[in-house]
Amino acid sequence: MPKTDLQSNALGSAAAGIFSRCLTHPLDTAKARLQALPSHPLPLQQKSLIVGTDGTYGVLRNIARSEGIAGWYRGFGAVLVGGTPGTILYFCSYDIIKNRLNQANANNKSQQDSFAVYLASGMLAEAIACIIYVPVDVVKERMQVQSSIANTAADNIRLPYKSSWDA
């Protein structure tokens, strides 16, 4: 892969990853809050701080009311700092692996750009990118759910994580 293609792929991957995460991070935050619900029953007042009455929409509405719109983007710093390189790594390694597999099959035209090439490229690229994605997801989810944990406590407790670096 020529250097300019790699640079274009990296910049395009970064831009696409950041843009898509800006749009979908609030839904991810709502999902994380719903998944973090305690297994024991909560008093109605505490449960309404987390869930609301309308599922995902209720969670997003209650986050906006209690934490402001910034609450939707809790953990977003970790996504930008760690997730963006993960996205770049995924797309660039996918392209490199696909090109190498196609080169290895240069004599067999029926195998070039086949389903197997795309499948293997995607699987290997995802495995490589998960080296970054998994630890970043842990930090992100900790940041996303920490205020819902504080809201379910009997007394006001100190939030366990001050920032993404602390998580």
Side-chain angles (χ1 to χ4, degrees):
M1 171 183 283
K3 186 177 180 180
T4 56
D5 285 348
L6 185 61
Q7 289 171 340
S8 296
N9 198 344
L11 289 174
S13 300
I18 291 169
F19 180 75
S20 67
R21 284 184 172 86
C22 285
L23 298 176
T24 60
H25 194 78
L27 292 173
D28 191 56
T29 300
K31 173 201 64 114
R33 299 270 178 107
L34 287 167
Q35 288 176 330
L37 284 173
S39 58
H40 61 282
L42 290 172
L44 185 59
Q45 182 183 14
Q46 290 176 341
K47 192 171 187 174
S48 67
L49 287 171
I50 302 170
V51 180
T53 56
D54 302 323
T56 304
Y57 175 73
V59 171
L60 291 171
R61 187 181 60 232
N62 284 335
I63 291 171
R65 284 181 185 161
S66 62
E67 302 171 45
I69 299 299
W72 290 352
Y73 290 92
R74 193 174 293 282
F76 194 69
V79 171
L80 287 180
V81 171
T84 302
T87 302
I88 293 169
L89 186 61
Y90 173 80
F91 283 113
C92 290
S93 62
Y94 175 84
D95 215 28
I96 291 167
I97 294 166
K98 182 175 67 90
N99 288 337
R100 295 266 168 91
L101 288 173
N102 279 331
Q103 287 172 358
N105 291 320
N107 294 336
N108 188 352
K109 296 291 183 192
S110 67
Q111 290 297 317
Q112 287 187 339
D113 289 329
S114 68
F115 173 77
V117 168
Y118 288 105
L119 178 67
S121 301
M123 287 172 37
L124 291 170
E126 184 67 25
I128 291 167
C130 278
I131 294 167
I132 294 176
Y133 281 147
V134 172
V136 167
D137 253 13
V138 169
V139 172
K140 174 191 61 109
E141 297 245 352
R142 286 179 178 174
M143 295 299 296
Q144 287 174 318
V145 301
Q146 74 172 354
S147 65
S148 64
I149 293 168
N151 287 336
T152 61
D155 298 317
N156 286 338
I157 62 169
R158 183 182 74 76
L159 293 178
Y161 308 110
K162 297 178 187 115
S163 69
S164 295
W165 295 112
D166 190 37

